[in-house]
Amino acid sequence: MDAEHPVNGGAEIPAEAPAETPAETPAVAVAEEPMPAGETTARTVVVTGASGLVGRHTCRELARRGWTVRAVARNPDRAARRLTGIPVRITAADIRDPDALHAAMRGASAVVHLAAIAIERAGEHYEDVNAEGTAAVVEAARDAGATRFIHMSQNGASGESPYRFLRSKGVAEELVRESGLRWTVFRPSVIFGPEDEFVNVLARLVRLSPLVYPLPGGGRARFQPVAVADVARAVGVSLDTPETTGHVYALGGPAALTLRQMVERVLLAMHARRWLVGVPVWLLRPVIALLQRVLPNPPVTTSLLDLLEVDNTVGDSALWTELGITPIPFAPEELRYLEGITFRDAIESLFRGAR
């Protein structure tokens, strides 16, 4: 799951450094006159959650396809650093702030809504960010005259789910489907890539577990990990293919894997050896509950632990059956970015505040 956070503010900045400055130089704020409400540019797309993992890859893919990309991000300075080299305009706007959100949407013909949270933190709850935030984005998109709407949901999302995260994503999906916009919904399994918040957590736990690696429930939970680059390509194909309107697409990689099999591949990628030991979920629950209370950024929460009970596979992925994309496998050679994670990185990640 790619966890994105709500954003706030109002200024726009370019994320691509000028030709005469080094590529790593952060962009600076510039004034830009917004288009009048109701007037749209045919190839202008707003991307919420743009500085997150999926957002960054999506912005790059859409810019490559010729879209004028307006990136909505939580922290504009940090977004400028993360999106450096990608020709986008960055707008700071809270998806729960109607005024800022409406300003961010002006002139857009399409919206790609990625902003959501998988882990709750102070002031950020599933219901208000994932569900109410989506309602606000849909309303702002309609008011701005946008007609195309891509929504990143979640495999297993349902408004009737007993799990709050999946229920909030299901409610959001229903809002999009009833919006009157020309929508497309994606339901990915777990997304992997540099700086993701699932596989990288597994890798950090490798560094924190020098001999024994605990597997919740014996590592029997099932996933169909999908590469972030493939998810971004799916968004690009959908925006450029009108026939995808009104469809819900399940996204997964080429193989369904258990958590144990995923950890085995992570260990191979990191050239590490650990004794994999199954631990009952009930035994882990009080430990994880304690970590939630004492750590600013716990590696897992009790809510996410509960989700291990849900089969997170998709069967025949729409990547190859509908969208013509050959998926990247969850293989050690595709996970080499995990080698760079150190023990210090793993420790510091536990005390890192909300991104």
Side-chain angles (χ1 to χ4, degrees), residues 115-139:
I117 58 170
I119 294 180
E120 293 180 308
R121 293 185 173 89
E124 296 179 353
H125 304 288
Y126 294 139
E127 292 77 14
D128 64 317
V129 177
N130 296 349
E132 294 176 20
T134 297
V137 172
V138 166
E139 180 182 357

Side-chain angles (χ1 to χ4, degrees), residues 17-22:
E20 66 272 16
T21 58

Side-chain angles (χ1 to χ4, degrees), residues 164-184:
R164 288 179 52 236
F165 169 68
L166 293 179
R167 187 165 63 248
S168 69
K169 295 294 285 183
V171 170
E173 183 178 315
E174 291 166 7
L175 289 167
V176 171
R177 296 173 70 170
E178 297 170 358
S179 66
L181 298 168
R182 292 189 293 117
W183 57 266
T184 302

